[in-house]
Amino acid sequence: MADPAEPEFFFDPTDPGFRRNPYPVYAKLRDEHPVLAGPLNSWVVSRYEDVEALLRDRRLGKDLGGTQFFAQVAGGPDEEPPPFLGLGLDGWDANLFRLLDPPDHTKLRNLVAAPFTPSAVEALIKSVTAVVDDLLADLPERFDVMEVLASQLPVRVLGDMMGIDREDQKLLAAWSTEIAHILELGAAPSEDVAIACQRAVAQCTEYFVKVLQEREGGDGTDLITELTRAGETIEGLTIHQIAAVCVLLIVPGLDTFANLIGNAAVILAEHPDVLERLAADSSLADDVLDEVLRLEPPTHASWRVVNEPITLHGRTMEAGAVVLLMLAAANRDERTFENPDTLALGAHGRKHLSFGRGIHYCLGDNLSRLMAKEALIGLAKRCASIKPDDDEVVLKPGLWLRGPARLPVTTTPRVG
């Protein structure tokens, strides 16, 4: 449990001012409270060196089931669970988080690793570029980046990989938007939002169970058929667990990627020189993407559960505590990055922590990078300038996921 002797500083991620601009608060955390007793008896860690080390630390896990944090947000076993983030579901769904530590985590990660290796993703370059070209064809001077590109690209690419037809891809996109609330640990959604999330988890899971059953024993090369074949080689693996893997692939793959593209478009609008350089030299896409990920990651925090006591900066985090690792704060740590609030292409490499580290490093890193780079190149080739129509970007609701809810822009078409 958090130390009651914590110096007075109330970290409130629900504060509207923090939501608009969290970076001054992150700086205060790094400077004065590198390990802070946070909301719902969690701990908040914000310095780069500490966050990177804890992301790799095997004394931390992701099974929330026995924690006080989980009890507070999901209700005790003898209580009526509050409508929280899709939890409180029947049967195996309620144990979803238990799939996230070894040995289950290792088993399920190995199940889906092959399609996301660098060589497998490299083979997708032409198809990803074709999707980008299709989405940006006949681009008007005024359009919504989120509607036209950010939300469409990942569902098209992942849906095609899974062998899902276009109509069902629309269903996956709608479910993903609702299920994304499950990533907002510590949030307090309205009852309507939470119920919609629960319903979407159940419907999306049921959908994948049905598709897995239909393709069992098939000889297709789509991702779902390959999962059914691979699943036959893993003892004790259930069809519901494979379906859960499909859900977990879809949700971070769609919603957080949309955030990434939206944030990237905002940054390109703020740095027209970078947009011009990218149009002239597409090889800069890697550097542009890494600075976007460092400066404005789509996910600001990653959570872990303490399995063995850990002492850091004189504070002891006891077993059973939940730790919020502040990725966005760490990415701007002046102890690690020179001029951390300034975009500097190529200056910081891939030191950002936006895809994590350790055994929970983002499995979709390679695919996300490919899609994002092609999207940025596609925009730069077509738009000589990008100007958001709204004076202030309207963000999606939530605590730790950060991206535009909408992003209408006016552009100047690039000639030639």
Side-chain angles (χ1 to χ4, degrees), residues 299-314:
T299 303
H300 274 215
S302 184
W303 52 269
R304 295 291 187 273
V305 176
V306 180
N307 292 326
E308 300 176 30
I310 296 175
T311 300
L312 186 63
H313 296 290

Side-chain angles (χ1 to χ4, degrees), residues 4-322:
E6 176 71 44
E8 290 185 8
F9 177 71
F10 182 58
F11 173 52
D12 181 11
T14 68
D15 179 74
F18 172 83
R19 184 64 178 164
R20 284 192 297 272
N21 181 13
Y23 296 104
V25 174
Y26 289 158
K28 185 176 180 67
L29 288 174
R30 291 192 304 265
D31 292 343
E32 302 177 18
H33 307 283
V35 180
L36 178 78
L40 295 177
N41 290 298
S42 65
W43 291 96
V44 178
V45 179
S46 51
R47 289 183 183 173
Y48 183 95
E49 183 178 12
D50 300 330
V51 172
E52 184 184 41
L54 291 178
L55 285 169
R56 300 180 186 275
D57 199 318
R58 298 300 288 270
R59 292 174 296 176
L60 297 174
K62 297 199 78 171
D63 179 3
L64 285 168
T67 66
Q68 182 179 358
F69 183 97
F70 184 90
Q72 286 180 277
V73 297
D78 299 324
E79 303 171 15
E80 181 69 24
F84 170 76
L85 308 186
L87 302 176
L89 300 173
D90 293 334
W92 68 274
D93 298 287
N95 295 317
L96 181 62
F97 287 109
R98 297 192 182 279
L99 306 179
L100 299 180
D101 275 349
D104 283 332
H105 171 266
T106 307
K107 176 171 63 177
L108 297 178
R109 191 177 179 92
N110 289 342
L111 179 68
V112 295
F116 299 99
T117 61
S119 58
V121 169
E122 187 176 357
L124 297 173
I125 291 177
K126 289 184 178 180
S127 61
V128 171
T129 303
V131 173
V132 171
D133 288 343
D134 184 37
L135 293 174
L136 297 181
D138 303 318
L139 196 66
E141 292 184 16
R142 295 187 71 253
F143 65 97
D144 188 325
V145 174
M146 305 306 292
E147 181 180 332
V148 170
L149 180 62
S151 63
Q152 296 296 321
L153 177 56
V155 73
R156 285 275 296 271
V157 173
L158 274 171
D160 289 350
M161 289 176 66
M162 290 180 161
I164 304 296
D165 63 40
R166 291 284 186 265
E167 286 304 308
D168 283 359
Q169 286 179 15
K170 294 176 183 177
L171 286 175
L172 296 181
W175 286 328
S176 174
T177 299
E178 301 294 348
I179 299 171
H181 294 289
I182 205 169
L183 304 178
E184 290 280 10
L185 294 181
S190 68
E191 184 171 353
D192 288 346
V193 168
I195 290 173
C197 180
Q198 293 177 355
R199 185 184 302 115
V201 170
Q203 291 174 342
C204 190
T205 303
E206 182 182 354
Y207 173 85
F208 279 118
V209 167
K210 180 180 178 181
V211 174
L212 285 162
Q213 290 172 335
E214 290 173 348
R215 299 188 191 177
E216 194 170 9
D219 57 1
T221 58
D222 62 273
L223 177 55
I224 291 181
T225 302
E226 290 179 352
L227 287 177
T228 64
R229 285 198 292 266
E232 293 172 358
T233 68
I234 301 177
E235 185 178 355
L237 190 68
T238 70
I239 194 169
H240 284 94
Q241 286 179 317
I242 301 176
V245 169
C246 293
V247 174
L248 291 172
L249 284 175
I250 284 292
V251 177
L254 302 191
D255 201 73
T256 59
F257 181 83
N259 290 348
L260 171 57
I261 296 303
N263 294 340
V266 172
I267 288 177
L268 288 177
E270 293 170 345
H271 297 84
D273 59 316
V274 173
L275 183 68
E276 194 64 32
R277 291 175 62 187
L278 181 58
D281 182 2
S282 61
S283 69
L284 291 175
D286 270 309
D287 291 340
V288 174
L289 177 58
D290 281 315
E291 278 296 86
V292 169
L293 284 163
R294 186 184 68 81
L295 286 168
E296 194 58 81
T299 303
H300 274 215
S302 184
W303 52 269
R304 295 291 187 273
V305 176
V306 180
N307 292 326
E308 300 176 30
I310 296 175
T311 300
L312 186 63
H313 296 290
R315 314 301 302 277
T316 298
M317 298 178 283
E318 300 289 353
V322 168

